[in-house]
Amino acid sequence: MKTVTLVLCVSLIWAQAAEIKSKQIGGRLIGGVEASVGQFPFAAAIYKSTADGTFFCTGSLINNQWVITAGQCVDSALLFTIRVGSNSLNSNDPNALRLSTDTYFLHPDYDPTTLSNDLGLIKLRMKITLTDYIKPINYVLEHTLPDSVSVVTIGWGQISDETAGLVDDLNYVYLVTLSNEECRLAFGNQVNDNMVCVDGNYNEGTCKGDLGSPLIQYGSIKTYLVGVSSFISSNGCESTDPSGFTRTGPYSEWVTNVTRNN
């Protein structure tokens, strides 16, 4: 068994979300490539303000008023500033929309120690107008994500362990789902059935700043949300260890109840 430990709670937020202090840099998610304009119109850049500082996460629009992300990305939040409609974090993109809200829902069984049930929902203050550059991703109800299937993740996270800071342009990378048995070889028995690990060629995957990013599965017509980025290896982003996500299928009832009744 590999001597790899699950990065927990505060250290994980440091490891993936990262406090917003670093200069924005060019580059890409580990092993990824730059996304085309409008390729991922559901991508949401999230700045979470807390009593301890401002942290960056990624999320996904699931309709015209709700964003889904990791539970870590909403826990203890005082205010969110969210940017949608643009691949760039900083450009004066006419398609971009900047929003603020303080309404969120953390999964009631979220455990910051084990990262079980690591999901959160953010409610925008009003419904937004959808465009070619702002569209929700399809949420798969009670979907079972198979092993060894092709998936995609996106993010603005840093490109290496040594190069701190976010990238300005959204990037994406193709990965493959692993069985939970394979995932436990890296992270131990804290990996439960509602988590999934993904791997790419050598060290492709998520890094600091990619927390909350969607795991995407392409259907014949639609693009589906099947996971949310939750954890990385304590060996670093550039290790060959897999990236960990929360499966979204098992939480469809919770997501539906929250978004319909609030």
Side-chain angles (χ1 to χ4, degrees), residues 9 28 103:
C9 195
R28 59 185 184 273
T103 304

Side-chain angles (χ1 to χ4, degrees), residues 26 41 45 55-56 65 126 160 203 228 230 253:
F55 300 85
F56 181 86
Q65 199 169 10
M126 60 184 65
S160 72
N203 63 351
V228 169
S230 177
E253 183 176 357

Side-chain angles (χ1 to χ4, degrees), residues 22-181:
S22 302
K23 178 182 177 182
Q24 304 297 314
I25 57 173
R28 59 185 184 273
L29 175 149
I30 302 295
V33 295
E34 189 173 315
S36 302
V37 174
Q39 185 175 358
F40 302 100
F42 45 82
I46 302 169
Y47 296 85
K48 179 183 80 166
S49 297
T50 73
D52 298 320
T54 300
F55 300 85
F56 181 86
C57 285
T58 301
S60 306
L61 279 173
I62 54 173
N63 61 36
N64 60 359
Q65 199 169 10
W66 289 88
V67 173
I68 192 169
T69 186
Q72 301 165 74
C73 293
V74 302
D75 194 16
S76 303
L78 300 175
L79 182 69
F80 301 98
T81 301
I82 300 172
R83 181 177 168 97
V84 295
S86 178
N87 287 351
S88 172
L89 294 179
N90 298 298
S91 70
N92 294 320
D93 189 335
N95 301 309
L97 188 62
R98 187 175 180 271
L99 311 158
S100 64
T101 183
D102 58 4
T103 304
Y104 70 87
F105 295 82
L106 178 63
H107 193 279
D109 296 322
Y110 167 65
D111 187 332
T113 301
T114 64
L115 298 181
S116 294
N117 311 300
D118 188 15
L119 278 184
L121 291 163
I122 301 171
K123 185 179 183 181
L124 306 177
R125 288 177 175 165
M126 60 184 65
K127 294 180 179 180
I128 59 175
T129 300
L130 302 181
T131 70
D132 289 341
Y133 306 98
I134 303 173
K135 294 179 182 179
I137 191 170
N138 297 287
Y139 191 102
V140 184
L141 299 179
E142 300 178 3
H143 175 68
T144 300
L145 181 63
D147 302 335
S148 303
V149 296
S150 178
V151 287
V152 176
T153 194
I154 61 176
W156 286 277
Q158 67 185 61
I159 61 171
S160 72
D161 290 319
E162 291 77 24
T163 308
L166 304 171
V167 300
D168 183 61
D169 293 306
L170 184 68
N171 284 260
Y172 70 98
V173 64
Y174 284 93
L175 303 165
V176 174
T177 59
L178 304 179
S179 69
N180 276 23
E181 289 73 20

